[in-house]
Amino acid sequence: MNVAFFLISLGCYFGAVSFHLISLINQRAWARQWGNLLTLSGFILHTLALTVRLWQSGHVPIANLHESLSFFGWAIILLYLLLEYRCKIPSLGAFVLPLALVFVFSASMLPKEIQPLIPALQSIWLGIHTTTSFGGYATFAFAFVAGIMYLIQENQLRSKKIGLFYYRLPSLEVLDDLIHKSLIFGFPLLTIGIITGSLWANTAWGSYWSWDPKETWALITWFIYAALVHARFTVGWRGRRSAYLAILGFCFVLFTFLGVNLLLKGLHSYA
């Protein structure tokens, strides 16, 4: 049943992305409304899929790559719906929903069977560590998208040519503020994720820190965002430099999440 809900939600997300792209190109209000309706429908079905999988497996469904990709996409869509409800940032859906769709679609290509947890994952820290880490990752996805939108909009203004997206994208101030708020919420979540991961490692492997590839790259990612937060609050970095760092930081997030799992061997090779 959880797979059926998941695949139907994926179909809704495909439709939602299509309508949001139509809205971006043609600026049709009905396209955006249909896009958001399908996004909400997909999210409800996706939430049902995760809930049923939690009930069937008896653990938080973030224990393998299929579940992690699915949860990552779900978290991004949750944040999008909250932002859409409160702020209604123009064209944000056309940029952030395709990113979420990539994660959910990738999850659909992987084995979906529920597997028994290995001993190292049979811990209360599984839910705490993974949800806070992916909460941070999802928040940084918005800083990444806002950074891309910022650079596109700024390039149009600097070239003094009114391009396709000039009237469709938010102002530079709105995009810079979105980067700022993403960091405010994402950095503490990432920090908590690393701390709880260290506590979990001590109970599972007898050491708080083993310089495992996942741990090492998570720490490098943390330093990237720590530098960005420091630069914004003490040096006053805003605008283009902040956008570049937000994009760079998310590249490190992706490598920590996927690159390490697929390319490097270590204690987290089961993920």
Side-chain angles (χ1 to χ4, degrees):
M1 182 63 76
N2 76 86
V3 175
F5 283 137
F6 173 76
L7 293 177
I8 298 172
S9 73
L10 177 62
C12 291
Y13 292 150
F14 267 113
V17 169
S18 300
F19 278 110
H20 274 287
L21 291 177
I22 292 172
S23 174
L24 175 67
I25 295 171
N26 295 333
Q27 289 191 293
R28 302 295 186 186
W30 61 265
R32 179 171 177 166
Q33 291 169 355
W34 271 102
N36 282 336
L37 179 61
L38 284 170
T39 304
L40 179 60
S41 302
F43 176 77
I44 292 172
L45 290 165
H46 199 167
T47 303
L48 281 173
L50 293 174
T51 303
V52 172
R53 196 174 181 91
L54 168 65
W55 176 71
Q56 291 175 332
S57 66
H59 60 78
V60 177
I62 321 178
N64 56 45
L65 192 53
H66 160 73
E67 294 176 348
S68 299
L69 286 165
S70 172
F71 187 85
F72 197 176
W74 177 86
I76 292 174
I77 291 165
L78 169 63
L79 293 179
Y80 167 73
L81 289 172
L82 292 174
L83 270 176
E84 182 66 14
Y85 176 74
R86 291 185 58 87
C87 308
K88 291 183 170 51
I89 298 175
S91 301
L92 181 62
F95 284 83
V96 76
L97 291 179
L99 180 64
L101 178 62
V102 167
F103 293 126
V104 179
F105 178 74
S106 301
S108 74
M109 303 301 290
L110 297 171
K112 305 171 192 60
E113 294 78 16
I114 296 174
Q115 301 292 336
L117 287 179
I118 64 172
L121 296 181
Q122 296 173 8
S123 168
I124 191 175
W125 292 111
L126 171 64
I128 301 171
H129 168 64
T130 53
T131 53
T132 51
S133 296
F134 279 106
Y137 289 175
T139 309
F140 291 144
F142 282 82
F144 167 73
V145 168
I148 291 175
M149 295 170 76
Y150 185 98
L151 294 177
I152 293 173
Q153 187 70 301
E154 189 198 43
N155 183 62
Q156 292 184 115
L157 293 172
R158 289 166 68 92
S159 65
K160 297 181 181 178
K161 294 179 181 178
I162 305 301
L164 174 66
F165 296 117
Y166 179 75
Y167 294 108
R168 294 166 170 77
L169 297 185
S171 67
L172 295 181
E173 290 74 17
V174 169
L175 293 170
D176 191 63
D177 185 58
L178 180 56
I179 295 174
H180 176 75
K181 289 176 178 172
S182 299
L183 293 174
I184 289 177
F185 288 102
F187 187 66
L189 286 172
L190 178 64
T191 304
I192 294 171
I194 291 176
I195 292 172
T196 54
S198 177
L199 295 171
W200 184 9
N202 186 52
T203 60
W205 300 314
S207 173
Y208 289 102
W209 199 266
S210 305
W211 295 107
D212 171 73
K214 177 75 83 176
E215 295 172 349
T216 303
W217 281 97
L219 187 61
I220 293 171
T221 302
W222 185 87
F223 275 117
I224 295 288
Y225 284 105
L228 180 51
V229 171
H230 175 75
R232 286 192 70 94
F233 285 96
T234 62
V235 187
W237 274 25
R238 297 287 188 277
R240 174 188 288 192
R241 287 181 291 188
S242 183
Y244 276 126
L245 267 182
I247 294 170
L248 176 67
F250 194 67
C251 292
F252 277 83
V253 165
L254 291 179
F255 186 80
T256 301
F257 170 41
L258 290 174
V260 171
N261 287 11
L262 300 175
L263 302 176
L264 304 177
K265 296 293 183 183
L267 295 171
H268 291 79
S269 295
Y270 53 80

